[in-house]
Amino acid sequence: MSLLPSVGDGNCYYILTEDCAYGSKYFKSGNMCFCSERSYLRSFADRPSARFLKVVMLDDGSTVTVNVEILQPVRKEVAALLLGIGSPSERLDCFLERLSLEAALQAVPGQKVTAEIDRQHFPGVVRYVGSIHKSASAALSPVFFGVELQGEGENRGRSDGSYHGTEYFKCKPGCGIFLPLSRVQFTPAPGDGYGKQKPKLDAEEAVPVKVGDAVSFYVDEVLTKGIAMAVYREGSQWFVKVCPEEEGTTDIFREIPMDSIVKENLLSQSVFSTFESDVGLGHSKQMKRQASESGEEGESGNPPLEVNSMVQITLDKGNQVFGIIRWLGYLPQIKHKMAGVELDEDKGVTAGEWLGKYYFHCAPKRGLFVKLQSCQPDVRFQCSRGGDLNLMDDGGREALPHAPVSFPPLRDEEAVSVLRGRMKGIQGHCNSCYVDAALFSLFSCTSVLDSMLFTPFTLCDRNVQDILREEIVNPLRKTGFVKARSVMHLREQLTEKGKCSSFTNAEKDPEEFLSLIMQKILGIEPLLKLQSGGHEGLDCYCYQIIMDKQEDLVVPDVQQLVEHSFLTYDQKLVEIPSCFIIQMPRFGKEYKMFSKIIPSLELDITDLLLDSPRECCVCGDVATLECSGCFKDKIFAPTGLKQFCGTCSKQVHSHYRHRAHKPTRLRVPEEFQCRSPQGSQRVPREKMELFAVLCIETSHYVSFVKYGPENEHWMFFDSMADRHGDENGFNIPTVTLCPEVAKYLDLPLAVLALEQPRDMDGVAKRLFCDAYMYMYQSKKMALYK
C-alpha cells in the first residue's frame, strides 16, 4: 500500500484504522493525522521497508510516531470532510461507508438533504459547503454543510446562516444549521438503489432494474418472484437485493446478480398479488392465519400494531432485527399494507424513502419497508396478562462464562452514542426507580465501584455479583440498555438474601438498597471510615448530612453542607475515600430543608481529613489550631473550616468578638512541623470530583450523570420516562443530554438564588431543586480500593 496520495498540497493526510498508544497519549481509531510530502519522502527514500512514520495529529497538534500498517491515506478534500466529525469512531465509520462519503464530495448548494438534529431527521437544502472556523495555525480546516431546514424542520435550526458573526448564507432565523458529514443524508435521485455502493451511472450505462420493481429469479431451479429492495454495484458487477415471497411472515432478502434477474413486464400488477395467484389454497389460508396473528387485528391478545409500536422482524437465515413502526399504509405497485420501520441498528436499506418519495425520516440504513404481517410485537418489551415480566425473558438464561467479562465505563462521545435515546438506560418496573437510578449513576460512566463486580469479598454472594455484572452493568455499557427482567432478577435475590419480602414491589430508598447489597450481600468494606468526638469505628456506606436550619445558608452548595455537618458532630475522615456518597438534609421524602442546592463539581476534603496537614486560612502557613466559632463568623469566607497558625490565631482571637472562642489543637504530621520559609511549601489539597446526582420528586428517583470533563457534559436518566400500553404495557427508559445545566452552574450565587424553578430551562430545575444524593469519586484512591 502506498502511503503517499497521488495528488497533494504539500501534505499527506491519513486516518488511523486502529487504536494507537504513544507515550502517555492514546489515540483511538478514526483520529486524523498528516505529514509533509518532504518528510514522507525522507522517511522512505533510503528505507523503503520502513514500518514507522512520524506524523502530526490534526486533533491536538501533537507529533507521534505511528506504525504505517494502521495508516490509511486520504485525499485532502476527504480529510477535511472527516475532520468535521468530532467522534473518532464515527469518523472512521463514515470513512468506511463510501456511499455517504462519495455523496458528500459531490454535494453542491441547492441539493436536497435530510439533516439529523438531536437524533431526529428533517428535510433541508444545502446552502453552503466549506469551513466555518478557520485557523491560520491549523494544517487543515474541517468542512461543514450549511443547511436551510424546511417543512417540519423549520425553527429547529440554530442560526440564520451566520456563524460567529460571519454570514455564510441567508435564511430565516432558526432555519439554518451547520452540520458535519455524519449528520447529513444526501437525497439520491429517484430510482437509485441503496446498498454497499451507489456511484453515478455513466450516460451510456442503463440499469434495467430499479428499487420497487417486480422481478423473478431462479432458486434451485425453481422460479421465485419478489420485489427489488436495493440496487448496488460492487466493482464492475451490479447486484439486486430482493425480498422474495416465501412461506411464513419473514422478509428474507437475497442478493442476486443483475444478470440473473428478470424484470416483470406487468408492473401495474402487484407483485404480491401475482404471488397469491401462484400459491396453493393451503398456503393462502396459512398466510391469512399468520396475518391475523401478527397483523392489525390483534386476535392473539397482542395490541394492534400502529405507528410507534415496537416490533421485531425476522430476516434471512433467521436473523432478527428490532425497530419502531414510523409509517403505515400502501406503497405504489404493492397491494399489501406495508410498515415503514426504523431499526435499532444499521441493517436496513433506506432512510425512509421509497421510489424517490420519503414516507418517514430516519438515519441512513436504519429504514426498512416490510409487509405489516411480517411485523411481530417486540418480545423484549411484552408483559403477560398476569403482570409477570416474561417480556424481558430470553427463554432461559444462558450459562454465565467462567472468566468474567469486563466492559469499560462509557465516556465523552462514546457515552452519548451508546446511552442517549429512548429505550436506553435501565428499564423500570414495579417501583424499581430507586435501584435503576442508583445503578445507572454508579456504573454507566465511572469505574470507581467496579470492584463490586469482580472482587471476592468476605461475604460475597457470587450469584448476586454475577447478576450485577453480567445482566446489568455489562449490557448497560455494551448496548446502553438493561431490560427490566434483569433488574427484577437482582431484586428477587435481594429479597431472598436480605430476608425482606418487599424488595420486589415496594418503594425503597437508594441508601437502603446500597447498604444491603454492599454490606450484607457482597460484604465490601465501608466506603467511609469516620471518627467522631475522638472515637473511631463509625464506618458507613452513605453519609447523611444532619444539621439545624442555618439562616445564613439560603442557597448553599454541597461543600458548605458537608463542612457544617462534619463540624456540628466533630467528625473527621480517617482516610481518603474512593467514593463519597452524600445524602442531602431532608425531613422525609417531601420536606426539603433548602429550596435549591448548588452542586459542588469538586469537593475539597483536605480539612475534613484526620491528621492531615492543614493550611492557615489567613497566611497559608501550616495550621496548628482549628476554631469552630470562627467557622460560623460571616467575616470569613463562606466555605472552608477555619484553622490558623499560632501567630494568626493570636491576632484573630484578640478581637473582642472572638475572645470567647475556644480553638482546638490540630495534629501536624512530622514532615510538616518544620517548614521554611513561610508559605514556601503549599499544603496538598485533596479533592473529589462529582460524577452523579440522584434526585427525587413525588417519590420517583431519577439521576444526572456527568459523562465528560466540561460543565455541559451532563445526561439525565429516567427509567420510567414514558410508557407503552396500560397495565399490561411496559415502561420506556430514556436518557437525554442536558447541557443547560452549565448555564446555571456558571451563574453568580445571588442571581441563582432569584431564579424561579418553573422558569429554569430543560431539566435543570430537578438537579438544583430535587437533589437527594450526591456521588463523588477520587480517581487516585480508586486505583487502590
Side-chain angles (χ1 to χ4, degrees), residues 149 577 628 732:
L149 300 172
S628 59
I732 300 176

Side-chain angles (χ1 to χ4, degrees), residues 48 251 259 349 375 385 520 583 595 631 634 700:
D251 280 83
D259 53 14
V349 295
C375 299
R385 294 187 179 183
K520 294 184 178 180
Q583 294 174 243
S595 60
F631 176 78
K634 295 181 181 179
H700 180 64

Side-chain angles (χ1 to χ4, degrees), residues 670-681:
E670 184 176 347
E671 60 269 28
F672 283 87
Q673 290 180 1
C674 299
R675 299 178 63 186
S676 62
Q678 185 180 36
S680 62
Q681 182 182 355

Side-chain angles (χ1 to χ4, degrees), residues 68-363:
V68 296
E69 293 181 358
I70 67 171
L71 290 177
Q72 181 68 35
V74 294
R75 305 196 309 271
K76 179 184 178 182
E77 58 269 28
V78 173
L81 279 172
L82 295 173
L83 196 59
I85 304 171
S87 167
S89 59
E90 191 175 353
R91 187 184 294 161
L92 183 60
D93 288 343
C94 285
F95 172 71
L96 297 175
E97 177 49 69
R98 298 305 174 91
L99 173 65
S100 300
L101 194 56
E102 289 299 327
L105 288 169
Q106 298 170 15
V108 293
Q111 181 173 346
K112 291 184 178 181
V113 295
T114 300
E116 179 183 340
I117 304 173
D118 297 330
R119 296 185 67 82
Q120 298 185 65
H121 297 81
F122 304 102
V125 176
V126 174
R127 298 301 186 196
Y128 172 79
V129 182
S131 299
I132 54 176
H133 44 75
K134 298 178 181 179
S135 171
S137 59
L140 186 66
S141 297
V143 167
F144 293 87
F145 295 89
V147 178
E148 179 183 0
L149 300 172
Q150 298 181 337
E152 59 188 19
E154 290 190 6
N155 298 320
R156 300 274 187 159
R158 292 159 192 162
S159 78
D160 59 356
S162 300
Y163 184 80
H164 285 190
T166 301
E167 182 182 280
Y168 294 94
F169 64 95
K170 288 184 178 181
C171 67
K172 293 188 294 184
C175 291
I177 192 167
F178 293 91
L179 297 170
L181 153 69
S182 58
R183 296 291 180 265
V184 181
Q185 180 215 331
F186 300 90
T187 305
D192 280 355
Y194 292 86
K196 298 173 183 176
Q197 289 189 14
K198 189 164 55 176
K200 282 190 173 181
L201 299 181
D202 295 330
E204 69 276 5
E205 185 178 16
V207 179
V209 177
K210 299 181 177 62
V211 174
D213 284 351
V215 296
S216 299
F217 60 96
Y218 282 91
V219 176
D220 297 327
E221 300 184 356
V222 177
L223 181 65
T224 304
K225 299 181 179 182
I227 190 164
M229 304 296 291
V231 180
Y232 60 91
R233 184 169 65 184
E234 285 187 341
S236 61
Q237 187 171 11
W238 284 88
F239 291 85
V240 181
K241 181 174 284 189
V242 181
C243 176
E245 180 72 2
E246 298 183 355
E247 289 194 9
T249 60
T250 61
D251 280 83
I252 299 176
F253 298 123
R254 296 185 182 275
E255 297 179 350
I256 311 296
M258 179 71 75
D259 53 14
S260 299
I261 290 287
V262 177
K263 182 178 177 182
E264 293 289 321
N265 294 325
L266 301 178
L267 291 180
S268 60
Q269 181 180 2
S270 165
V271 63
F272 293 105
S273 177
T274 304
F275 291 148
E276 287 184 351
S277 66
D278 290 341
V279 298
L281 180 61
H283 187 189
S284 177
K285 289 181 179 179
Q286 180 188 17
M287 293 291 290
K288 290 179 180 179
R289 175 176 57 80
Q290 289 172 336
S292 174
E293 290 177 354
S294 62
E296 319 167 61
E297 293 83 358
E299 293 177 3
S300 64
N302 292 325
L305 294 179
E306 55 192 17
V307 173
N308 292 328
S309 290
M310 296 184 177
V311 295
Q312 64 185 41
I313 305 162
T314 304
L315 302 179
D316 55 328
K317 300 179 182 178
N319 296 324
Q320 284 193 328
V321 293
F322 302 91
I324 300 175
I325 293 178
R326 296 301 188 194
W327 173 86
L328 288 173
Y330 294 90
L331 294 170
Q333 305 179 19
I334 298 179
K335 177 180 177 181
H336 287 253
K337 189 171 186 179
M338 302 291 286
V341 181
E342 180 181 1
L343 302 179
D344 293 346
E345 303 176 88
D346 294 341
K347 294 184 178 180
V349 295
T350 178
E353 181 207 26
W354 180 270
L355 294 180
K357 178 181 177 181
Y358 277 90
Y359 291 85
F360 66 97
H361 292 278
C362 68

Side-chain angles (χ1 to χ4, degrees), residues 592-618:
K592 298 179 289 189
M593 184 174 288
F594 301 99
S595 60
K596 294 191 194 79
I597 296 175
I598 303 174
S600 298
L601 298 181
E602 282 189 332
L603 186 68
D604 192 333
I605 62 170
T606 308
D607 298 339
L608 307 179
L609 291 168
L610 180 68
D611 298 340
S612 174
R614 309 273 285 279
E615 188 177 89
C616 175
C617 64
V618 177

Side-chain angles (χ1 to χ4, degrees), residues 53 65 106 193 235 357 385 395 539 566 592 655 738:
L53 179 66
T65 300
Q106 298 170 15
K357 178 181 177 181
R385 294 187 179 183
D539 302 338
F566 267 68
K592 298 179 289 189
H655 193 280
C738 47

Side-chain angles (χ1 to χ4, degrees), residues 543-556:
Y543 181 78
Q544 173 68 66
I545 291 179
I546 302 175
M547 57 186 294
D548 297 328
K549 182 70 174 178
Q550 304 289 325
E551 298 298 334
D552 56 329
L553 290 178
V554 179
V555 183

Side-chain angles (χ1 to χ4, degrees), residues 410-417 707-709 713 715:
L410 301 165
R411 297 291 295 171
D412 303 316
E413 289 297 324
E414 185 181 17
V416 175
S417 174
Y707 66 88
H713 287 172
M715 56 177 53

